[in-house]
PDB file of all heavy atoms in Angstrom:
ATOM      1  N   ILE A   1      -0.459  -3.394  -5.066  1.00 91.00           N
ATOM      2  CA  ILE A   1       0.766  -2.589  -4.975  1.00 91.00           C
ATOM      3  C   ILE A   1       1.109  -1.992  -6.338  1.00 91.00           C
ATOM      4  O   ILE A   1       1.463  -0.810  -6.444  1.00 91.00           O
ATOM      5  CB  ILE A   1       1.934  -3.446  -4.443  1.00 91.00           C
ATOM      6  CG1 ILE A   1       1.691  -3.835  -2.981  1.00 91.00           C
ATOM      7  CG2 ILE A   1       3.266  -2.703  -4.596  1.00 91.00           C
ATOM      8  CD1 ILE A   1       2.755  -4.729  -2.387  1.00 91.00           C
ATOM      9  N   ARG A   2       0.964  -2.814  -7.392  1.00 90.00           N
ATOM     10  CA  ARG A   2       1.252  -2.316  -8.744  1.00 90.00           C
ATOM     11  C   ARG A   2       0.282  -1.194  -9.126  1.00 90.00           C
ATOM     12  O   ARG A   2       0.671  -0.218  -9.767  1.00 90.00           O
ATOM     13  CB  ARG A   2       1.174  -3.464  -9.754  1.00 90.00           C
ATOM     14  CG  ARG A   2       2.131  -4.617  -9.521  1.00 90.00           C
ATOM     15  CD  ARG A   2       3.557  -4.168  -9.368  1.00 90.00           C
ATOM     16  NE  ARG A   2       4.470  -5.299  -9.184  1.00 90.00           N
ATOM     17  CZ  ARG A   2       5.696  -5.209  -8.701  1.00 90.00           C
ATOM     18  NH1 ARG A   2       6.138  -4.022  -8.299  1.00 90.00           N
ATOM     19  NH2 ARG A   2       6.453  -6.273  -8.581  1.00 90.00           N
ATOM     20  N   GLU A   3      -0.957  -1.321  -8.743  1.00 89.00           N
ATOM     21  CA  GLU A   3      -1.942  -0.289  -9.038  1.00 89.00           C
ATOM     22  C   GLU A   3      -1.571   1.015  -8.315  1.00 89.00           C
ATOM     23  O   GLU A   3      -1.686   2.116  -8.878  1.00 89.00           O
ATOM     24  CB  GLU A   3      -3.337  -0.730  -8.604  1.00 89.00           C
ATOM     25  CG  GLU A   3      -3.921  -1.853  -9.452  1.00 89.00           C
ATOM     26  CD  GLU A   3      -5.257  -2.334  -8.926  1.00 89.00           C
ATOM     27  OE1 GLU A   3      -5.794  -1.694  -7.999  1.00 89.00           O
ATOM     28  OE2 GLU A   3      -5.749  -3.351  -9.428  1.00 89.00           O
ATOM     29  N   ALA A   4      -1.128   0.894  -7.060  1.00 89.00           N
ATOM     30  CA  ALA A   4      -0.728   2.072  -6.304  1.00 89.00           C
ATOM     31  C   ALA A   4       0.463   2.754  -6.965  1.00 89.00           C
ATOM     32  O   ALA A   4       0.532   3.989  -7.041  1.00 89.00           O
ATOM     33  CB  ALA A   4      -0.397   1.680  -4.863  1.00 89.00           C
ATOM     34  N   GLN A   5       1.413   1.945  -7.441  1.00 91.00           N
ATOM     35  CA  GLN A   5       2.587   2.508  -8.111  1.00 91.00           C
ATOM     36  C   GLN A   5       2.188   3.217  -9.404  1.00 91.00           C
ATOM     37  O   GLN A   5       2.684   4.309  -9.709  1.00 91.00           O
ATOM     38  CB  GLN A   5       3.615   1.390  -8.408  1.00 91.00           C
ATOM     39  CG  GLN A   5       4.284   0.854  -7.155  1.00 91.00           C
ATOM     40  CD  GLN A   5       5.164  -0.348  -7.449  1.00 91.00           C
ATOM     41  OE1 GLN A   5       4.815  -1.202  -8.273  1.00 91.00           O
ATOM     42  NE2 GLN A   5       6.303  -0.421  -6.775  1.00 91.00           N
ATOM     43  N   ALA A   6       1.271   2.585 -10.144  1.00 91.00           N
ATOM     44  CA  ALA A   6       0.822   3.175 -11.401  1.00 91.00           C
ATOM     45  C   ALA A   6       0.079   4.485 -11.166  1.00 91.00           C
ATOM     46  O   ALA A   6       0.080   5.394 -12.031  1.00 91.00           O
ATOM     47  CB  ALA A   6      -0.059   2.181 -12.151  1.00 91.00           C
ATOM     48  N   ALA A   7      -0.557   4.591  -9.992  1.00 88.00           N
ATOM     49  CA  ALA A   7      -1.325   5.797  -9.672  1.00 88.00           C
ATOM     50  C   ALA A   7      -0.439   6.923  -9.122  1.00 88.00           C
ATOM     51  O   ALA A   7      -0.931   8.001  -8.817  1.00 88.00           O
ATOM     52  CB  ALA A   7      -2.425   5.462  -8.675  1.00 88.00           C
ATOM     53  N   GLY A   8       0.853   6.659  -8.986  1.00 91.00           N
ATOM     54  CA  GLY A   8       1.764   7.693  -8.560  1.00 91.00           C
ATOM     55  C   GLY A   8       2.424   7.500  -7.210  1.00 91.00           C
ATOM     56  O   GLY A   8       3.206   8.349  -6.768  1.00 91.00           O
ATOM     57  N   ALA A   9       2.145   6.393  -6.531  1.00 89.00           N
ATOM     58  CA  ALA A   9       2.777   6.096  -5.241  1.00 89.00           C
ATOM     59  C   ALA A   9       4.170   5.542  -5.500  1.00 89.00           C
ATOM     60  O   ALA A   9       4.322   4.381  -5.865  1.00 89.00           O
ATOM     61  CB  ALA A   9       1.937   5.099  -4.447  1.00 89.00           C
ATOM     62  N   LYS A  10       5.168   6.384  -5.336  1.00 87.00           N
ATOM     63  CA  LYS A  10       6.522   5.981  -5.692  1.00 87.00           C
ATOM     64  C   LYS A  10       7.304   5.410  -4.509  1.00 87.00           C
ATOM     65  O   LYS A  10       8.121   4.514  -4.676  1.00 87.00           O
ATOM     66  CB  LYS A  10       7.271   7.185  -6.252  1.00 87.00           C
ATOM     67  CG  LYS A  10       6.635   7.808  -7.493  1.00 87.00           C
ATOM     68  CD  LYS A  10       6.481   6.784  -8.611  1.00 87.00           C
ATOM     69  CE  LYS A  10       5.869   7.420  -9.856  1.00 87.00           C
ATOM     70  NZ  LYS A  10       5.666   6.406 -10.932  1.00 87.00           N
ATOM     71  N   SER A  11       7.073   5.908  -3.331  1.00 92.00           N
ATOM     72  CA  SER A  11       7.838   5.439  -2.163  1.00 92.00           C
ATOM     73  C   SER A  11       7.103   4.292  -1.470  1.00 92.00           C
ATOM     74  O   SER A  11       5.902   4.091  -1.641  1.00 92.00           O
ATOM     75  CB  SER A  11       8.049   6.583  -1.175  1.00 92.00           C
ATOM     76  OG  SER A  11       6.817   6.964  -0.577  1.00 92.00           O
ATOM     77  N   LEU A  12       7.854   3.553  -0.674  1.00 92.00           N
ATOM     78  CA  LEU A  12       7.267   2.456   0.100  1.00 92.00           C
ATOM     79  C   LEU A  12       6.226   2.987   1.066  1.00 92.00           C
ATOM     80  O   LEU A  12       5.171   2.383   1.275  1.00 92.00           O
ATOM     81  CB  LEU A  12       8.366   1.700   0.859  1.00 92.00           C
ATOM     82  CG  LEU A  12       9.416   0.981   0.007  1.00 92.00           C
ATOM     83  CD1 LEU A  12      10.497   0.413   0.886  1.00 92.00           C
ATOM     84  CD2 LEU A  12       8.770  -0.113  -0.835  1.00 92.00           C
ATOM     85  N   ARG A  13       6.510   4.150   1.678  1.00 91.00           N
ATOM     86  CA  ARG A  13       5.571   4.770   2.618  1.00 91.00           C
ATOM     87  C   ARG A  13       4.274   5.133   1.926  1.00 91.00           C
ATOM     88  O   ARG A  13       3.182   4.932   2.456  1.00 91.00           O
ATOM     89  CB  ARG A  13       6.222   6.020   3.213  1.00 91.00           C
ATOM     90  CG  ARG A  13       5.381   6.827   4.181  1.00 91.00           C
ATOM     91  CD  ARG A  13       5.137   6.127   5.481  1.00 91.00           C
ATOM     92  NE  ARG A  13       3.900   5.379   5.465  1.00 91.00           N
ATOM     93  CZ  ARG A  13       3.495   4.569   6.413  1.00 91.00           C
ATOM     94  NH1 ARG A  13       4.268   4.348   7.467  1.00 91.00           N
ATOM     95  NH2 ARG A  13       2.344   3.930   6.341  1.00 91.00           N
ATOM     96  N   ALA A  14       4.389   5.691   0.692  1.00 92.00           N
ATOM     97  CA  ALA A  14       3.196   6.077  -0.051  1.00 92.00           C
ATOM     98  C   ALA A  14       2.362   4.859  -0.430  1.00 92.00           C
ATOM     99  O   ALA A  14       1.135   4.891  -0.355  1.00 92.00           O
ATOM    100  CB  ALA A  14       3.601   6.854  -1.318  1.00 92.00           C
ATOM    101  N   ILE A  15       3.037   3.777  -0.817  1.00 93.00           N
ATOM    102  CA  ILE A  15       2.313   2.542  -1.159  1.00 93.00           C
ATOM    103  C   ILE A  15       1.586   1.997   0.073  1.00 93.00           C
ATOM    104  O   ILE A  15       0.432   1.567  -0.012  1.00 93.00           O
ATOM    105  CB  ILE A  15       3.289   1.477  -1.703  1.00 93.00           C
ATOM    106  CG1 ILE A  15       3.901   1.967  -3.047  1.00 93.00           C
ATOM    107  CG2 ILE A  15       2.591   0.148  -1.905  1.00 93.00           C
ATOM    108  CD1 ILE A  15       5.019   1.076  -3.534  1.00 93.00           C
ATOM    109  N   ALA A  16       2.256   2.038   1.228  1.00 91.00           N
ATOM    110  CA  ALA A  16       1.638   1.563   2.470  1.00 91.00           C
ATOM    111  C   ALA A  16       0.388   2.378   2.782  1.00 91.00           C
ATOM    112  O   ALA A  16      -0.642   1.818   3.194  1.00 91.00           O
ATOM    113  CB  ALA A  16       2.633   1.651   3.618  1.00 91.00           C
ATOM    114  N   ASP A  17       0.462   3.693   2.584  1.00 91.00           N
ATOM    115  CA  ASP A  17      -0.694   4.550   2.855  1.00 91.00           C
ATOM    116  C   ASP A  17      -1.869   4.186   1.953  1.00 91.00           C
ATOM    117  O   ASP A  17      -3.033   4.187   2.406  1.00 91.00           O
ATOM    118  CB  ASP A  17      -0.312   6.019   2.649  1.00 91.00           C
ATOM    119  CG  ASP A  17       0.644   6.523   3.725  1.00 91.00           C
ATOM    120  OD1 ASP A  17       0.706   5.882   4.799  1.00 91.00           O
ATOM    121  OD2 ASP A  17       1.319   7.539   3.484  1.00 91.00           O
ATOM    122  N   VAL A  18      -1.590   3.881   0.678  1.00 89.00           N
ATOM    123  CA  VAL A  18      -2.656   3.513  -0.240  1.00 89.00           C
ATOM    124  C   VAL A  18      -3.307   2.193   0.190  1.00 89.00           C
ATOM    125  O   VAL A  18      -4.545   2.070   0.202  1.00 89.00           O
ATOM    126  CB  VAL A  18      -2.106   3.377  -1.687  1.00 89.00           C
ATOM    127  CG1 VAL A  18      -3.166   2.787  -2.609  1.00 89.00           C
ATOM    128  CG2 VAL A  18      -1.668   4.736  -2.193  1.00 89.00           C
ATOM    129  N   LEU A  19      -2.490   1.197   0.546  1.00 90.00           N
ATOM    130  CA  LEU A  19      -3.036  -0.098   0.967  1.00 90.00           C
ATOM    131  C   LEU A  19      -3.878   0.068   2.225  1.00 90.00           C
ATOM    132  O   LEU A  19      -4.957  -0.551   2.353  1.00 90.00           O
ATOM    133  CB  LEU A  19      -1.887  -1.074   1.213  1.00 90.00           C
ATOM    134  CG  LEU A  19      -1.046  -1.471  -0.016  1.00 90.00           C
ATOM    135  CD1 LEU A  19       0.092  -2.373   0.399  1.00 90.00           C
ATOM    136  CD2 LEU A  19      -1.906  -2.152  -1.069  1.00 90.00           C
ATOM    137  N   ASN A  20      -3.426   0.869   3.165  1.00 86.00           N
ATOM    138  CA  ASN A  20      -4.191   1.092   4.383  1.00 86.00           C
ATOM    139  C   ASN A  20      -5.510   1.801   4.085  1.00 86.00           C
ATOM    140  O   ASN A  20      -6.551   1.497   4.685  1.00 86.00           O
ATOM    141  CB  ASN A  20      -3.361   1.913   5.381  1.00 86.00           C
ATOM    142  CG  ASN A  20      -2.201   1.132   5.980  1.00 86.00           C
ATOM    143  OD1 ASN A  20      -2.293  -0.080   6.155  1.00 86.00           O
ATOM    144  ND2 ASN A  20      -1.112   1.811   6.281  1.00 86.00           N
ATOM    145  N   ALA A  21      -5.448   2.777   3.160  1.00 87.00           N
ATOM    146  CA  ALA A  21      -6.662   3.523   2.807  1.00 87.00           C
ATOM    147  C   ALA A  21      -7.695   2.603   2.142  1.00 87.00           C
ATOM    148  O   ALA A  21      -8.904   2.799   2.294  1.00 87.00           O
ATOM    149  CB  ALA A  21      -6.304   4.672   1.886  1.00 87.00           C
ATOM    150  N   ARG A  22      -7.216   1.596   1.437  1.00 84.00           N
ATOM    151  CA  ARG A  22      -8.127   0.656   0.765  1.00 84.00           C
ATOM    152  C   ARG A  22      -8.599  -0.453   1.699  1.00 84.00           C
ATOM    153  O   ARG A  22      -9.391  -1.311   1.304  1.00 84.00           O
ATOM    154  CB  ARG A  22      -7.434   0.053  -0.464  1.00 84.00           C
ATOM    155  CG  ARG A  22      -7.161   1.042  -1.586  1.00 84.00           C
ATOM    156  CD  ARG A  22      -6.500   0.382  -2.779  1.00 84.00           C
ATOM    157  NE  ARG A  22      -7.309  -0.729  -3.299  1.00 84.00           N
ATOM    158  CZ  ARG A  22      -6.953  -1.471  -4.351  1.00 84.00           C
ATOM    159  NH1 ARG A  22      -5.822  -1.206  -4.993  1.00 84.00           N
ATOM    160  NH2 ARG A  22      -7.713  -2.453  -4.770  1.00 84.00           N
ATOM    161  N   GLY A  23      -8.132  -0.457   2.931  1.00 85.00           N
ATOM    162  CA  GLY A  23      -8.564  -1.467   3.896  1.00 85.00           C
ATOM    163  C   GLY A  23      -7.943  -2.816   3.699  1.00 85.00           C
ATOM    164  O   GLY A  23      -8.475  -3.838   4.171  1.00 85.00           O
ATOM    165  N   ILE A  24      -6.825  -2.864   2.998  1.00 88.00           N
ATOM    166  CA  ILE A  24      -6.123  -4.144   2.788  1.00 88.00           C
ATOM    167  C   ILE A  24      -5.174  -4.373   3.955  1.00 88.00           C
ATOM    168  O   ILE A  24      -4.335  -3.525   4.265  1.00 88.00           O
ATOM    169  CB  ILE A  24      -5.320  -4.104   1.458  1.00 88.00           C
ATOM    170  CG1 ILE A  24      -6.277  -3.869   0.274  1.00 88.00           C
ATOM    171  CG2 ILE A  24      -4.541  -5.420   1.269  1.00 88.00           C
ATOM    172  CD1 ILE A  24      -5.556  -3.654  -1.042  1.00 88.00           C
ATOM    173  N   ALA A  25      -5.301  -5.513   4.598  1.00 86.00           N
ATOM    174  CA  ALA A  25      -4.475  -5.820   5.777  1.00 86.00           C
ATOM    175  C   ALA A  25      -3.212  -6.567   5.367  1.00 86.00           C
ATOM    176  O   ALA A  25      -3.127  -7.157   4.291  1.00 86.00           O
ATOM    177  CB  ALA A  25      -5.272  -6.659   6.772  1.00 86.00           C
ATOM    178  N   THR A  26      -2.224  -6.537   6.244  1.00 85.00           N
ATOM    179  CA  THR A  26      -1.015  -7.328   6.036  1.00 85.00           C
ATOM    180  C   THR A  26      -1.332  -8.802   6.281  1.00 85.00           C
ATOM    181  O   THR A  26      -2.437  -9.171   6.671  1.00 85.00           O
ATOM    182  CB  THR A  26       0.093  -6.883   6.994  1.00 85.00           C
ATOM    183  OG1 THR A  26      -0.334  -7.167   8.346  1.00 85.00           O
ATOM    184  CG2 THR A  26       0.374  -5.401   6.866  1.00 85.00           C
ATOM    185  N   ALA A  27      -0.330  -9.652   6.078  1.00 78.00           N
ATOM    186  CA  ALA A  27      -0.527 -11.102   6.270  1.00 78.00           C
ATOM    187  C   ALA A  27      -0.915 -11.415   7.713  1.00 78.00           C
ATOM    188  O   ALA A  27      -1.615 -12.395   7.975  1.00 78.00           O
ATOM    189  CB  ALA A  27       0.749 -11.848   5.898  1.00 78.00           C
ATOM    190  N   ARG A  28      -0.503 -10.579   8.643  1.00 76.00           N
ATOM    191  CA  ARG A  28      -0.836 -10.787  10.059  1.00 76.00           C
ATOM    192  C   ARG A  28      -2.059  -9.994  10.501  1.00 76.00           C
ATOM    193  O   ARG A  28      -2.374  -9.940  11.679  1.00 76.00           O
ATOM    194  CB  ARG A  28       0.358 -10.398  10.933  1.00 76.00           C
ATOM    195  CG  ARG A  28       1.589 -11.277  10.681  1.00 76.00           C
ATOM    196  CD  ARG A  28       2.715 -10.919  11.630  1.00 76.00           C
ATOM    197  NE  ARG A  28       3.865 -11.792  11.447  1.00 76.00           N
ATOM    198  CZ  ARG A  28       4.981 -11.737  12.154  1.00 76.00           C
ATOM    199  NH1 ARG A  28       5.089 -10.823  13.114  1.00 76.00           N
ATOM    200  NH2 ARG A  28       5.987 -12.555  11.924  1.00 76.00           N
ATOM    201  N   GLY A  29      -2.722  -9.370   9.542  1.00 77.00           N
ATOM    202  CA  GLY A  29      -3.935  -8.644   9.866  1.00 77.00           C
ATOM    203  C   GLY A  29      -3.724  -7.239  10.366  1.00 77.00           C
ATOM    204  O   GLY A  29      -4.660  -6.614  10.882  1.00 77.00           O
ATOM    205  N   GLY A  30      -2.508  -6.726  10.233  1.00 81.00           N
ATOM    206  CA  GLY A  30      -2.206  -5.395  10.729  1.00 81.00           C
ATOM    207  C   GLY A  30      -2.163  -4.348   9.636  1.00 81.00           C
ATOM    208  O   GLY A  30      -2.578  -4.595   8.495  1.00 81.00           O
ATOM    209  N   ARG A  31      -1.653  -3.158   9.998  1.00 88.00           N
ATOM    210  CA  ARG A  31      -1.546  -2.063   9.049  1.00 88.00           C
ATOM    211  C   ARG A  31      -0.199  -2.108   8.345  1.00 88.00           C
ATOM    212  O   ARG A  31       0.788  -2.623   8.887  1.00 88.00           O
ATOM    213  CB  ARG A  31      -1.707  -0.707   9.781  1.00 88.00           C
ATOM    214  CG  ARG A  31      -3.119  -0.464  10.266  1.00 88.00           C
ATOM    215  CD  ARG A  31      -3.212   0.867  10.999  1.00 88.00           C
ATOM    216  NE  ARG A  31      -2.818   1.990  10.151  1.00 88.00           N
ATOM    217  CZ  ARG A  31      -3.605   2.550   9.235  1.00 88.00           C
ATOM    218  NH1 ARG A  31      -4.844   2.105   9.063  1.00 88.00           N
ATOM    219  NH2 ARG A  31      -3.190   3.583   8.511  1.00 88.00           N
TER     220      ARG A  31
END
């Protein structure tokens, strides 16, 4: 999340998009 913020992802939605693009799942295995 910190890396996404440093790369310019300022909003929560933008951070979520970066994590999904990197294939990182939530604690429950979802998007």
Side-chain angles (χ1 to χ4, degrees):
I1 292 178
R2 300 308 182 198
E3 290 176 8
Q5 290 173 322
K10 301 303 182 182
S11 68
L12 297 174
R13 177 70 267 173
I15 295 171
D17 290 340
V18 171
L19 295 177
N20 290 328
R22 293 181 57 179
I24 300 173
T26 65
R28 296 184 178 182
R31 290 179 59 80

